[in-house]
Amino acid sequence: MNIEEYNGIFFLDGKFSQVADILAVEIPLSIAVNEVPFTVTMQTPGDEKNLVRGLLFTENIIRELRQSLIIDVTKTNEDGFITSVNVTAPAEIILKDFAGTRNVISSSSCGVCGKTSLDDLDCAPVSNTAILDAALISEMFNQVSAKQKAFQQSGGTHAAGAFTIDGIMLCIQEDIGRHNAVDKVIGFLINNNLLEKTKCITVSGRISYEIVSKAKAAGIPFLASVSAPSTLAVDFAQEAGITLMAFCRKNKFTVYSNPHHVITNQINLITGKANNKTNVKKFK
């Protein structure tokens, strides 16, 4: 179980009362590659193999899609939750930028922890000729919401969903961390040969740089959230060729980058270049 019951004190109308609440579990997961420490990430227990596969992919450690990886559990805690894993992979598929130096804590709220510079950022845009029907956005979030079992019980997890251009759900994953949920989705897609079919990722939390970078690494051209984006997320999404949609609530949303890839039933939102070009910052 990735949820637990905790006692608490509830305050309402000037009165206190004792309650038992369901909370999302958060534990550290240590990841090693060929027994060399790589990182420690805070996560919600469950789907660790998908999380590790997706994390190594989006961090440009192992980009080979056809190679199966051996992911062994090396430690569990007293509750039986996995706290340490080792990934065994052929040396030739491990990219040279991995030297066992990312041995830092990556919190569940910040997927970019441990990074010190954007200097090596690859800004080649995602290839995209698809047009997404705006009417599908609300239905995508409805599908994800209906399957957020941990959130329904705890109110403490994020969710990410993967969809085809026609709004068909391919995967949903939950985690206490936004970026972990996205990594779990990408890992699932890789492990089940569904990455090429995926055109849109939805997330339940705010969109910051690291979420956009993961979508770009996976080559997914549409990114949608119920919450707000950061300025860096919008700038990067614009240059990365990603159509970023935020505040997706109650049949409404705002497009912040590459809006010409989104249509309504009545009219193309925009033909040509994005209208926020002056806000774009170059990543060089």
Side-chain angles (χ1 to χ4, degrees):
M1 291 289 289
N2 55 11
I3 53 173
E4 291 184 357
E5 185 176 272
Y6 275 68
N7 292 325
I9 303 297
F10 179 63
F11 179 79
L12 178 66
D13 293 334
K15 297 181 180 180
F16 292 95
S17 60
Q18 196 170 36
V19 295
D21 284 340
I22 299 296
L23 304 180
V25 174
E26 182 179 27
I27 61 171
L29 177 67
S30 176
I31 302 170
V33 179
N34 291 339
E35 299 185 349
V36 178
F38 170 54
T39 193
V40 177
T41 185
M42 303 302 294
Q43 62 121 16
T44 300
D47 295 300
E48 283 83 3
K49 291 187 177 181
N50 286 335
L51 170 60
V52 171
R53 190 68 164 93
L55 181 63
L56 292 175
F57 183 80
T58 59
E59 290 291 330
N60 291 314
I61 303 304
I62 298 177
R63 297 283 297 181
E64 175 59 57
L65 297 177
R66 295 167 295 180
Q67 178 70 50
S68 296
L69 305 180
I70 299 173
I71 303 177
D72 294 316
V73 176
T74 54
K75 189 176 181 180
T76 59
N77 66 12
E78 58 186 12
D79 296 319
F81 296 137
I82 298 171
T83 57
S84 181
V85 298
N86 179 68
V87 181
T88 301
E92 61 267 22
I93 71 168
I94 300 174
L95 301 186
K96 61 182 180 181
D97 60 339
F98 170 58
T101 57
R102 196 181 184 271
N103 190 21
V104 296
I105 296 294
S106 176
S107 77
S108 58
S109 62
C110 178
V112 82
C113 294
K115 291 183 179 292
T116 58
S117 174
L118 297 179
D119 291 342
D120 296 327
L121 185 62
D122 174 15
C123 283
V126 171
S127 177
N128 182 30
T129 58
I131 302 295
L132 180 65
D133 189 340
L136 295 174
I137 302 299
S138 180
E139 179 56 29
M140 289 181 188
F141 281 96
N142 288 340
Q143 291 183 62
V144 170
S145 179
K147 294 183 178 294
Q148 285 184 253
K149 298 187 182 301
F151 178 81
Q152 291 165 7
Q153 292 179 288
S154 70
T157 58
H158 285 287
F163 294 86
T164 67
I165 194 63
D166 299 315
I168 298 172
M169 177 182 281
L170 300 174
C171 172
I172 175 181
Q173 296 284 340
E174 290 185 89
D175 197 279
I176 200 165
R178 294 170 295 116
H179 73 277
N180 283 349
V182 173
D183 279 329
K184 286 181 177 181
V185 162
I186 294 173
F188 178 92
L189 296 171
I190 294 171
N191 289 334
N192 291 274
N193 299 314
L194 293 171
L195 191 58
E196 289 188 1
K197 295 182 179 180
T198 304
K199 296 299 179 182
C200 182
I201 284 185
T202 66
V203 294
S204 63
R206 61 187 174 84
I207 297 181
S208 48
Y209 159 79
E210 73 269 20
I211 301 295
V212 179
S213 70
K214 291 177 187 298
K216 181 184 180 300
I220 298 172
F222 296 94
L223 180 59
S225 172
V226 298
S227 192
S230 70
T231 55
L232 184 57
V234 172
D235 292 341
F236 184 36
Q238 178 62 41
E239 286 209 32
I242 292 174
T243 299
L244 189 157
M245 297 159 283
F247 299 111
C248 302
R249 306 167 185 169
K250 298 180 180 180
N251 297 316
K252 297 186 294 183
F253 63 87
T254 302
V255 185
Y256 287 93
S257 64
N258 299 294
H260 52 288
H261 286 293
V262 181
I263 64 170
T264 65
N265 290 331
Q266 295 81 29
I267 189 171
N268 205 334
L269 281 180
I270 193 167
T271 57
K273 294 184 179 181
N275 59 7
N276 65 338
K277 184 181 178 183
T278 56
N279 294 328
V280 176
K281 297 179 176 63
K282 300 293 182 183
F283 290 84
K284 292 182 178 179

